[in-house]
Amino acid sequence: MMSLARGLVVIRAFSAERPNMTVSQISQKTGIPRAAVRRCLYTLDKMGFVASVDGGAFNLRPRVLLLGHGYFASSSLSQAAGPILNRLSGPLDESSSVSVLDGDEILYIARAQTKRLMAMHLDVGSRLPAIYTSMGRVLIASLPYHEQEQYMARAKYIQYTPHSLTDATALAQELEQIRAQGFAVIDQELEAGVRSIALPIMGRDGRPMSAMSVGVHAQRMSIDDMKEKILPALQEAATELTILSKTL
């Protein structure tokens, strides 16, 4: 099924930063020969998943959302999290989310968005680098040590902001602190002006199943205030989802 695998890789090559890509650009990003990329794009175009634009580039079409619709429509965890997030975000007037660990990224599976908009638009299906998010870190910190080491070994350290951690030693210390205290806080490491706090949702097998977080603007709330005002409500919501998830 090499053709199927290549087609999926081609689809994943598109991103918010590169919504339009040529055959050569996709080939360079994926490592797939240009002739094979061209064949994939031809088939995807016929199926309505991509379309050609000016200059010989291609972009994704709305039909590609069908590939993920089945998962979200059938995901019991996603459906269960929605009402809990709404009850959490309402009184706080802050956005909240639930995500799962997918490779080296987190995948948002449920979200309650308030009217307070942040620069980074996030919705169900959004992906972010796990080590630079509170949900990603709390999930990694909850894994067995040998799995944590695998993440550390392949982590890509990027200076997104002046606050971003950029070395393995600092990340290891941070994960150890998260493991000890049971929650993670990110202070403007991925996006300037944004702080978030997260808790793990543990499964029946004792492994982290997902994570729940609340994000705030740094100017509105300090880290101490987050721990005092948001953490108790987040703990209550996470406990509710943990109990509910074990009945799904």
Side-chain angles (χ1 to χ4, degrees):
M1 301 293 288
M2 180 63 71
S3 297
L4 173 60
R6 282 177 167 173
L8 294 174
V9 170
V10 167
I11 289 174
R12 292 194 62 187
F14 294 92
S15 66
E17 294 76 22
R18 300 291 296 273
N20 300 324
M21 300 182 71
T22 65
V23 171
S24 296
Q25 289 171 333
I26 296 173
S27 176
Q28 183 177 11
K29 184 173 182 178
T30 63
I32 300 174
R34 282 182 295 178
V37 170
R38 192 173 290 106
R39 290 195 296 271
C40 288
L41 290 170
Y42 176 82
T43 300
L44 292 171
D45 185 23
K46 291 297 183 183
M47 296 179 68
F49 291 126
V50 303
S52 59
V53 295
D54 294 339
F58 290 81
N59 62 18
L60 296 179
R61 306 303 299 152
R63 187 177 179 83
V64 78
L65 295 173
L66 292 174
L67 298 176
H69 177 74
Y71 168 76
F72 290 113
S74 63
S75 172
S76 298
L77 179 61
S78 177
Q79 293 177 7
I84 296 174
L85 291 179
N86 289 331
R87 290 195 294 272
L88 173 63
S89 288
L92 296 175
D93 195 22
E94 303 289 356
S95 298
S96 60
S97 310
V98 170
S99 72
V100 296
L101 200 58
D102 187 20
D104 295 338
E105 299 175 316
I106 57 167
L107 171 66
Y108 283 73
I109 64 169
R111 184 160 168 81
Q113 179 76 51
T114 68
K115 294 182 180 179
R116 292 179 170 180
L117 299 179
M118 297 185 183
M120 184 180 294
H121 177 73
L122 297 171
D123 207 341
V124 172
S126 295
R127 292 175 175 270
L128 292 176
I131 66 169
Y132 288 109
T133 63
S134 59
M135 289 189 285
R137 282 192 187 164
V138 83
L139 286 169
I140 296 171
S142 302
L143 292 171
Y145 281 113
H146 72 278
E147 294 186 39
Q148 284 187 42
E149 291 173 353
Q150 293 174 0
Y151 273 92
M152 302 277 290
R154 64 175 183 264
K156 297 179 180 179
Y157 299 97
I158 300 174
Q159 190 84 57
Y160 290 104
T161 76
H163 301 275
S164 303
L165 293 184
T166 56
D167 65 83
T169 300
L171 179 59
Q173 293 173 347
E174 179 72 9
L175 291 176
E176 190 62 34
Q177 180 179 347
I178 292 168
R179 194 181 185 97
Q181 67 190 15
F183 63 90
V185 173
I186 287 286
D187 185 13
Q188 308 180 76
E189 290 194 46
L190 186 61
E191 181 184 358
V194 176
R195 293 179 172 136
S196 65
I197 186 168
L199 290 169
I201 308 298
M202 307 302 289
R204 294 190 187 93
D205 58 359
R207 290 178 58 85
M209 179 172 57
S210 62
M212 181 183 292
S213 76
V214 173
V216 304
H217 282 289
Q219 292 182 343
R220 289 201 307 267
M221 190 172 295
S222 67
I223 293 176
D224 287 340
D225 285 342
M226 289 175 66
K227 294 177 181 178
E228 179 183 350
K229 299 176 181 179
I230 291 180
L231 183 57
L234 181 60
Q235 289 171 327
E236 183 177 343
T239 298
E240 183 181 356
L241 183 57
T242 299
I243 295 172
L244 186 60
S245 67
K246 292 178 179 179
T247 67
L248 298 177

